Amino acid sequence: MTVSLGMPAVPPPVLAPRRPTRQIRVGKVAVGGGAPVSVQSMTTTKTTDINATLQQIAELTAAGCDIVRVAVPSQDDADVLPIIAKKSQLPVIADIHFQPKYVFAAIDAGCAAVRVNPGNIRAFDDQVKQIAQAATDAGVSIRIGVNAGSLDKRLLAKYGAPTPEALVESALWEASLFEEHGFRDFKISVKHHDPVVMVRAYEQLSEACDYPLHLGVTEAGPAFQGTIKSSVAFGALLAKGIGDTIRVSLSAPPVEEVKVGIKILESLNLRPRKLEIVSCPSCGRAQVDVYTLADEVTKGLEGMTVPLRVAVMGCVVNGPGEAREADLGVASGNGKGQIFVRGEVVKTVPESEIVATLIEEANRLAAELPPSESGAVQVSVG
């Protein structure tokens, strides 16, 4: 059997068609209206530290991030926005809370978009007309970001808690205020720390409007917990076609958020798969140290961006089949490994040489791909 490398000739299957939405732009990135689901993150630096902020944006760019958000809690932060917006490789969203004057400062600074949290911006409703006009004149889009932790007190009093219904009512109310002034270049988020509440809120919101939706589980927690929460919630929604842009919120470096977000999209065939490592789970049948092999192959191929699936398999039960189905793979046993390339065994090597051989073959296969396909290679380790 011969396995062809590169992107498939037809689009891979998805679980459900994308929900039809309006399309807006965040700088060079289209959001909604059939555009690819984009991945966002937020810098953790002090925005006033221009060099550190731009360095973190460069790291996010290299990791595959599409859009970056920066915090603007003070006038000093607002003052440096023109430099950051101009020098950033990614479209910059200014994150605004409490002070509406920073919304106008961000628009004037050339930011691609502004995130506003209506629940905690003073007299926000009274300034929607001016904000809408300024955003329209500058070609800037807006995210109406409703959060469970900062919900409007009027809605908390009405519902008693940040329920899905409360989050949706808040978002739709603010959207209606912008609509009154003819402004519709916005996306909406209704974030909650509980994935069940969050999913229900987005389901209700998707039925009530056609605006693009920004998915997020807010305060998701440390890396492991936050990854699980976000994966469960995003998977439930994206599998139904709901969601146009995502941010995985982790108590971890921003690059880790991007890695998780990209993998979620790749797993649902919503983003072309790049390097993919397929490896065995824990199993008493393994005849080699699969854990170490998988880790070392992953580290050795870090940064590879071509569509290559590499399979690292540790026993003779599923190993040959998985390795044969991958672009590149190894079926291991009795201290040695059979190396498969494009479905055929090309050599057998000792266990001590498996990692180096796989890395060498992966780089050779990547070099064979035409430039148009060099953005994705899959590697399986089992």
Side-chain angles (χ1 to χ4, degrees), residues 261-282:
I262 288 174
K263 277 301 177 186
I264 291 173
L265 296 181
E266 288 181 357
S267 297
L268 292 168
N269 287 336
L270 293 173
R271 178 174 284 222
R273 300 190 184 200
K274 297 182 181 179
L275 176 67
E276 181 181 3
I277 306 290
V278 177
S279 59
C280 289
S282 55

Side-chain angles (χ1 to χ4, degrees), residues 150-198:
S150 53
L151 190 64
D152 189 295
K153 291 183 175 60
R154 294 167 293 184
L155 290 169
L156 277 177
K158 177 179 178 180
Y159 289 96
T163 63
E165 293 76 15
L167 295 171
V168 171
E169 183 172 330
S170 175
L172 293 177
W173 166 253
E174 300 302 338
S176 72
L177 296 180
F178 279 101
E179 290 172 339
E180 286 180 8
H181 302 291
F183 186 85
R184 290 179 171 80
D185 289 335
F186 56 83
K187 58 183 182 290
I188 302 176
S189 65
V190 282
K191 294 186 177 183
H192 197 286
H193 66 272
D194 184 331
V196 173
V197 176
M198 175 268 200

Side-chain angles (χ1 to χ4, degrees), residues 16 19-20 39 54 91 105 154 164 187 189 193 200 205 256 273 353-354:
R19 161 184 169 265
V39 175
L54 290 174
R154 294 167 293 184
K187 58 183 182 290
S189 65
H193 66 272
R200 287 176 175 166
L205 189 59
E256 298 305 311
R273 300 190 184 200
E353 298 178 14
I354 289 174

Side-chain angles (χ1 to χ4, degrees), residues 347-375:
K347 64 181 75 172
T348 300
V349 300
E351 182 177 353
S352 62
E353 298 178 14
I354 289 174
V355 173
T357 303
L358 286 176
I359 293 172
E360 178 184 357
E361 291 294 332
N363 287 322
R364 183 180 63 78
L365 290 173
E368 291 179 358
L369 288 173
S372 62
E373 296 183 2
S374 62

